[in-house]
Each structure stands twice: as structure tokens, then as C-alpha cells.
Amino acid sequence: MKTARIGLIGLGVMGANLALNIAEKGFAVAVYNRTTERIGEFVSSAGDLAENLIAAESPQALVAALQPPRAVIVMVKAGAPVDAVIARLRPLLEPGDMIIDAGNANFHDTRRREAELRKAGLAFLGMGVSGGEEGARHGPSIMVGGQAESYEAIRDIVEAIAAKYEGRPCAALLGPDGAGHFVKTVHNGIEYADMQLIAEVYGLLRDGDRRAPERIAGLFARWNEGPLQSYLVEITAEVLRATDPLTGRPMVEMIVDRAGQKGTGRWTVIEALSLGQSASTIEAAVGARSWSAAREARAAGAAILAGAAPSGEGAPALSDDDLEQALLAARVVAYSQGFSLLQAASEEYGWNLDLATIAEIWRAGCIIRSGLLNDMAAAARQGLPHGLLIFAPDFARMLAAAAPALRRTVARGALAGLPVPAFSAALAWLDTMRQPRGTTDLIQALRDFFGAHGFERIDGGTGQHGPWAK
Ligand code: 6PG
């Protein structure tokens, strides 16, 4: 009987492409899907790669086809479906075997599953996979969490299927238990921010400048040749250029402005807040998607809040170069907030995350791959002043040069009445982080006034109270 070192459960688009990727790299892979008709269909459409695929008609057959210690990748919808698959596999596996969750799991679930399975003598890896369908098929970025010896057992397969940056695989074991899924979550948070910033540029040009999608596409295509070079900027140009085959109009104009979200962006923000941080640029992006759902209310608001519309005076002109610089600056801010969150979580959960390695494995394969990541990896290797990417010398210089354009962009949005929540949040955070004396002295005074919460005096002494008349 043909056997394999690795199995895969869940032949949806991502799972199927990952299985083909594994097979193409010369590893046999046993595959199973809950809707069993899909298994034969998948194998028979795999062409030459079918010789490396073993169709398993049941979880039992899948496990029987694996060489011990067995490794099974689970690529099903995050949440309860993952627990259901684990529950079916668990009695079939033996101590030393391993389950790998390659979905977009919430890292708290990953920590729980890892602890439960470890008690039963089974290994569990939480493996974040980024790059969409194409990435899964031809080389994703892979962020792994779990025990080192478990990762070692499958490292050759993971590195073979991962994207390569200058020949180096974009895959790494980043820390124990939920570390990989946490890093993937923050990756997605940054993805949300980047896409929101791009959409805000589109809005400023479409509504502020009456520019057609085709012309905006040209701008993004040009920017993709410079410091903004990135997958998301590249595909923005492609998307804006596309024509709707039904109407002949720009495709983007035929799409309802209500964004979906599956949870990773929201989790990024929730975790940031729980760790005493604020990933405000990412939060603005999540919020923008959430409010996009209130489409009927927004339509009504156009009339109800007509009085709040801008009067039309004073909006600064904005050049294309301004927008390029503003997008660059705000993108760096979003990454910086993401990195700070990774650092905070690393301390909280004892993961010992290496930010430079994370930036390195994001350089190819993943959705947020960008020309900036190589410089970010180098900055992280050198050590970030006060833990902040925006303070790294090269980035501080870049931000100094781009800040005037970022200010004009936010001012233009505000005075033209065009929402730019992510740009605004990015600018507000930059200004916060260059303000030696903030305004929370007054917050402290107010807290003390109504609740006797006490404050720290600048000339010494904690738990102090003000002379408020009571
Ligand atoms: C990736 C993507 C991928 C997926 C997100 C989209 O890295 O390959 O991030 O994970 O596209 O789940 O998330 P939303 O549906 O929440 O936008």
C-alpha cells in the first residue's frame, strides 16, 4: 500500500491547493474531505500530481495511510469545525503523532488545543498560511507555532512548499503554541489597514478629484515601481482597470460598498486593547468595514446630516506625490503598530518572537508582501529604539520626509468631507509619539476630582490629590 508522511483534511480551495503544492514538491500526501465525493474529483483533476496523492475515504483510511509519527494538516473553517476534526482524529492517533491547523484560527483556541493534545501525548502546530489561493498553490508565507521537535519533523515539507525570498523559504517556527496563529492574525490586521489606506486614496481621487478608476489604476501601477511596491498596490491597479463584462463599466463601480470580514482584523484590535495597546490604524480599518455594513443608514445620513457637509472653502490641493508619500507614511505606521502588538504579546505569552524573522518571512508569498519589508527586517535586526519601528533611523527619516504630505492628505479629507479614518489615525499616532508632554495630566486631574483616584506629581510623589473643592 502506498503511504505518505503527511495527510491533509479539508479540500476547499486553500486545502486543495496546499495538497497540490505538497505533491508537486515530491511528497506523497494522503487527502480526505468530509464531503467524500470531493476527494475523487480532486484527485482525478490533479493530472500528473495524482501519483503523489492518496485518496482516503475516511479519517481511518487517512491515518492508516500515514507513516508514524503521523502528521495531519487540517484546513477547514476556523472555529468549531477544527474542534470537530480534532475530535474525530484524536482516537485514531498514537502518542507522538501531530495535528497541524493551517486555518486562520484564533490563537486562544490554538493555545487551548495545543495544551489539550499535549496532555494526550499528541503534538499540535498552529500554522498561519498567507497568500490566498495562488500562494497556497505556488508558495505561501508560513507562520508556525508549536514545539521545536514537532516542527523539525515536517520542516523540510513546510520549507519546500513555502514562497522563497532570494532563495530563502518564507516559513519559520516563530514560537510555541499560539505564536504562529497570532502572527498570522496581526499580518491580517496590517492587511486590513493597508487595504483601507488604499481605499481612502481611491476615495480622495474618485470623489475629491472626479478621477475615473482607469486613471487611478495608472497611478497605482506607477507607484508599484517605487517605494510603495507591494502586492496590494499591484493588484489595486489590476482591479481598478477591470471592466464588468455585463455592463462594460469599470468593475469596481458595480460592487456594493459593504465589506466582508471573517474576524482576524477584529481579533488584532481586541488583542491590542487587551494588551494595553492601541493599533489605531488597524482599528480604523476594521471600523470602516463595520460601518460600511450600515449602508441604508449612510444613505439616509446624506440627507439627515446634509448640514454637516463641508462648506467648500480651504481644502488644500493634493498632488499625486503627496498621496504616494502619505500612503507610504501611513503604511509604515500600520506596520509599526503591528510590530508593537507582536512584541507585547510575545512578552505576555512568553513566546520570544523575533520581529526580524517575522518581517523576513513576510517578504514573499503573503498578502502584505512589500518592498518595505526587507528594510523593516534589517531595522528589527538592529534593534528598534524603544521597541518602535517608526523610531528606527531609516524609518524616522522617511516619516519626516513624508509627514507634510500625510498632514495635507488628512486636511484635504477633513475639509472636503471625505472620510480618511486610517490616514487620520496614523497621523494622530505619529503626533502622539512625538509629544513629550501629552494632555493626560488633565485626565488624571479629572479622575482625581470625581473619584479620588490619585495622580503622580511631576516634582515627586504618587497617590497625590488635588485641592478640589468638595
Ligand atoms: C491571507 C489572507 C487570507 C484571507 C483573509 C481575509 O493572508 O492569505 O489574509 O487569510 O484572505 O482571511 O480576511 P477577511 O475575509 O476578514 O477580509
Side-chain angles (χ1 to χ4, degrees):
M1 189 180 102
K2 213 155 83 172
T3 60
R5 274 175 61 200
I6 197 143
L8 186 144
I9 294 182
L11 293 172
V13 184
M14 291 296 284
N17 280 351
L18 213 57
L20 292 175
N21 188 353
I22 296 171
E24 188 182 64
K25 301 302 172 315
F27 301 96
V29 52
V31 294
Y32 168 74
N33 192 67
R34 193 168 57 132
T35 314
T36 44
E37 300 80 72
R38 171 84 186 115
I39 307 168
E41 212 177 87
F42 168 67
V43 174
S44 54
S45 66
D48 290 350
L49 295 178
E51 67 183 39
N52 276 342
L53 299 173
I54 302 172
E57 293 298 320
S58 65
Q60 286 82 352
L62 179 101
V63 169
L66 296 178
Q67 302 151 16
R70 302 168 188 83
V72 184
I73 297 176
V74 178
M75 192 53 133
V76 300
K77 199 166 172 297
V82 176
D83 287 314
V85 172
I86 292 175
R88 280 196 79 180
L89 275 177
R90 207 171 145 161
L92 307 173
L93 297 176
E94 291 173 350
D97 291 348
M98 151 173 36
I99 298 176
I100 303 150
D101 177 9
N104 272 337
N106 185 306
F107 84 105
H108 290 296
D109 286 336
T110 305
R111 282 166 62 80
R112 167 180 59 78
R113 290 170 185 143
E114 197 270 343
E116 283 170 9
L117 290 171
R118 186 152 30 92
K119 265 192 239 147
L122 297 173
F124 187 73
L125 294 180
M127 186 167 97
V129 176
S130 175
E133 295 174 31
E134 270 296 296
R137 177 67 186 83
H138 298 292
S141 168
I142 304 180
M143 298 147 251
V144 189
Q147 295 298 313
E149 62 271 22
S150 313
Y151 182 57
E152 277 310 313
I154 55 152
R155 193 170 104 168
D156 56 338
I157 302 179
V158 172
E159 291 189 347
I161 63 171
K164 306 292 180 301
Y165 181 86
E166 293 181 350
R168 287 171 59 192
C170 290
L173 177 72
L174 299 170
D177 55 73
H181 275 146
F182 187 83
V183 173
K184 176 60 171 53
T185 297
V186 175
H187 163 285
N188 282 23
I190 296 171
E191 172 185 307
Y192 273 54
D194 218 21
M195 287 164 70
Q196 175 62 25
L197 291 164
I198 287 172
E200 290 176 16
V201 169
Y202 162 66
L204 288 169
L205 293 170
R206 181 191 68 182
D207 302 330
D209 234 14
R210 304 266 157 250
R211 250 189 258 186
E214 172 76 36
R215 279 192 61 209
I216 306 176
L219 198 56
F220 277 94
R222 177 153 68 75
W223 288 345
N224 196 42
E225 305 296 316
L228 281 175
Q229 186 281 316
S230 57
Y231 174 67
L232 285 171
V233 165
E234 178 192 328
I235 64 168
T236 299
E238 268 190 53
V239 163
L240 289 175
R241 222 175 253 142
T243 302
D244 173 30
L246 290 180
T247 60
R249 288 180 52 192
M251 189 66 241
V252 68
E253 289 181 354
M254 301 306 296
I255 298 175
V256 174
D257 59 332
R258 188 164 30 207
Q261 48 179 325
K262 290 198 278 292
T264 46
R266 194 180 314 128
W267 298 341
T268 307
V269 175
I270 290 171
E271 295 310 325
L273 292 175
S274 308
L275 290 163
Q277 300 234 331
S278 166
S280 53
T281 317
I282 299 171
E283 208 256 281
V286 175
R289 287 202 199 182
S290 302
W291 286 115
S292 81
R295 206 162 162 257
E296 288 73 24
R298 288 187 285 115
I304 298 169
L305 296 176
S311 56
E313 33 65 72
L318 212 50
S319 71
D320 292 351
D321 289 350
D322 278 340
L323 281 173
E324 181 182 26
Q325 289 297 307
L327 186 50
L328 190 63
R331 171 179 272 182
V332 169
V333 166
Y335 271 96
S336 187
Q337 292 185 334
F339 277 28
S340 292
L341 173 54
L342 289 172
Q343 194 52 47
S346 180
E347 281 157 28
E348 175 74 16
Y349 298 104
W351 287 334
N352 208 11
L353 292 179
D354 179 32
L355 297 181
T357 301
I358 294 169
E360 279 165 9
I361 65 168
W362 285 351
R363 288 179 301 187
C366 67
I367 302 294
I368 62 169
R369 60 186 185 263
S370 106
L372 285 176
L373 275 162
N374 199 36
D375 298 336
M376 290 182 186
R381 277 265 172 260
Q382 276 164 24
L384 302 174
H386 302 273
L388 290 169
L389 181 71
I390 53 168
F391 287 178
D394 286 350
F395 288 99
R397 254 192 307 278
M398 176 188 282
L399 288 167
L406 178 59
R407 292 185 193 290
R408 281 194 289 276
T409 301
V410 173
R412 164 85 176 157
L415 290 169
L418 300 171
V420 284
F423 277 116
S424 305
L427 178 60
W429 191 62
L430 267 192
D431 282 333
T432 299
M433 297 315 289
R434 25 159 246 101
Q435 190 178 39
R437 180 156 173 84
T439 53
T440 47
D441 45 352
L442 180 57
I443 308 273
Q444 285 296 77
L446 294 171
R447 290 177 68 240
D448 189 53
F449 186 101
F450 63 66
H453 294 294
F455 51 77
E456 186 181 355
R457 290 183 61 95
I458 58 168
D459 50 4
T462 54
Q464 304 293 305
H465 298 286
W468 331 118
K470 272 276 153 60

